[in-house]
Amino acid sequence: MRPDRRATAALILLCAAVFLDSMDLSLMGVALPAIGADLALPEGTLQWLMSGYAVAYGGFLLLGGRLADLLGRRRMFLASLAVFAAASLAGGLLSDGPLLVATRVVKGVAAALTAPAALSLITTTFAEGPRRNRALGVYALAGATGYSAGLIASGLLTEVSWRLVFFLPVPVALLVLAAAPKVIPAGRATGPRTGFDTAGAGAVTGGVLLLVYALTETSWPAGVAALALLGAFVAIERHRRNPLVPLDVLRSRRLASANLAALAWACATIGWQYPSTSCTCRACSGTRRWTPGWGSSPWAWPSSSPPTWPDG
């Protein structure tokens, strides 16, 4: 296979993976009432089918990037995608509420390990310049489109069975796993084998997990513990020779502005999903289950508008 075709094939597979990660974030939306009715689950458990994925994804994303550097990008990508597929299959077969939530948490962790590895593979597959810019734009578009598609697919699949919502990612993930070793170069681990910032990784991961838990459950003790762990993370990073996050990068105004914009976007576009779809499902009771998904999807379409790429 010619190098340019191989790179294009690799980009398609990496985009398929991030498409699955993003789609799974919204895929539960319309299926929740059907799951609750079938398994007699309270709303407190139902919301964790969505929150568990998001909490685990956010909590382990930073650690996932570091592990990809240490253990190898392709190796981490394939291993985490295999775990994602296995957890999806298990979720479709289970009928116990806490176990369903556990599969969603596992999928969130797997997605957090897949995403940074995939992004790093793009930067090593495409040389710096217009081709890499276009590849990154297509990658971002695949993630945004996956979120929108999840809202629609959730309703269409739930019309048949809510279990299909869990099964949907399995065949796609298996296809990517089968094809990826043929087109994605193995590469080598780039991080040092010694000096891994275990304390920093544990502090930031635990802090983010507790912070999101505190916000979703209105738990003041969890919030205080989260702030303590995040403060400890900052203190640890200041004294590490190989920090997980070099604190100097946070002094960049451009980077800080981008992070604030991303936070505002996430709060505006993701936070509404659970209450919006729940209210829409109640309002549309007696109609087709795909109606709420189609009704909610316009809110997500702006996030999947095509990016613009510089020519030089």
Side-chain angles (χ1 to χ4, degrees), residues 100-125:
L100 276 179
V101 172
T103 64
R104 292 288 294 168
V105 172
V106 171
K107 290 179 74 172
V109 174
L113 302 180
T114 303
L119 188 60
S120 295
L121 285 168
I122 289 179
T123 62
T124 56
T125 302

Side-chain angles (χ1 to χ4, degrees), residues 153-287:
S154 179
L156 293 173
L157 295 175
T158 305
E159 189 70 25
V160 180
S161 171
W162 60 263
R163 293 187 183 276
L164 294 178
V165 170
F166 287 88
F167 287 139
L168 176 63
V170 178
V172 180
L174 292 179
L175 286 174
V176 175
L177 285 171
K182 300 176 182 179
V183 296
I184 298 177
R188 296 180 179 178
T190 58
R193 287 290 178 178
T194 59
F196 177 63
D197 188 7
T198 305
V204 71
T205 302
V208 172
L209 290 172
L210 282 174
L211 181 61
V212 179
Y213 177 83
L215 294 174
T216 56
E217 297 293 325
T218 320
S219 171
W220 285 102
V224 172
L227 293 177
L229 282 174
L230 293 175
F233 169 70
V234 173
I236 291 169
E237 298 305 282
R238 285 179 175 175
H239 299 91
R240 290 289 301 185
R241 178 175 296 180
N242 297 308
L244 190 65
V245 178
L247 296 181
D248 290 342
V249 303
L250 301 179
R251 298 176 182 175
S252 169
R253 292 185 179 181
R254 184 173 298 179
L255 180 61
S257 299
N259 284 331
L260 289 175
L263 177 63
W265 175 87
C267 293
T269 60
I270 297 176
W272 59 269
Q273 186 189 339
Y274 177 72
S276 172
T277 51
S278 297
C279 292
T280 307
C281 285
R282 293 191 184 97
C284 297
S285 59
T287 64

Side-chain angles (χ1 to χ4, degrees), residues 12-228:
I12 292 173
L13 295 178
L14 296 172
C15 287
V18 75
F19 182 90
L20 285 180
D21 292 346
S22 300
M23 183 178 66
D24 223 64
L25 186 61
S26 60
L27 199 56
M28 287 289 105
V30 182
L32 290 179
I35 297 172
D38 192 21
L39 303 182
L41 299 179
E43 288 214 7
T45 301
L46 284 177
Q47 69 92 13
W48 273 103
L49 289 175
M50 294 179 63
S51 298
Y53 182 92
V55 167
Y57 184 85
F60 284 87
L61 190 60
L62 190 59
L63 181 59
R66 187 59 173 157
L67 288 176
D69 289 338
L70 289 173
L71 303 178
R73 299 180 179 99
R74 192 182 76 168
R75 182 184 302 170
M76 181 58 61
F77 175 77
L78 294 176
S80 54
L81 189 59
V83 172
F84 187 92
S88 297
L89 180 62
L93 298 174
L94 293 170
S95 298
D96 180 76
L99 289 179
L100 276 179
V101 172
T103 64
R104 292 288 294 168
V105 172
V106 171
K107 290 179 74 172
V109 174
L113 302 180
T114 303
L119 188 60
S120 295
L121 285 168
I122 289 179
T123 62
T124 56
T125 302
F126 294 89
E128 186 174 0
R131 291 193 70 218
R132 180 187 290 181
N133 293 339
R134 292 189 181 94
L136 291 173
V138 172
Y139 179 83
L141 179 61
T145 306
Y147 184 80
S148 301
L151 292 171
I152 299 172
S154 179
L156 293 173
L157 295 175
T158 305
E159 189 70 25
V160 180
S161 171
W162 60 263
R163 293 187 183 276
L164 294 178
V165 170
F166 287 88
F167 287 139
L168 176 63
V170 178
V172 180
L174 292 179
L175 286 174
V176 175
L177 285 171
K182 300 176 182 179
V183 296
I184 298 177
R188 296 180 179 178
T190 58
R193 287 290 178 178
T194 59
F196 177 63
D197 188 7
T198 305
V204 71
T205 302
V208 172
L209 290 172
L210 282 174
L211 181 61
V212 179
Y213 177 83
L215 294 174
T216 56
E217 297 293 325
T218 320
S219 171
W220 285 102
V224 172
L227 293 177

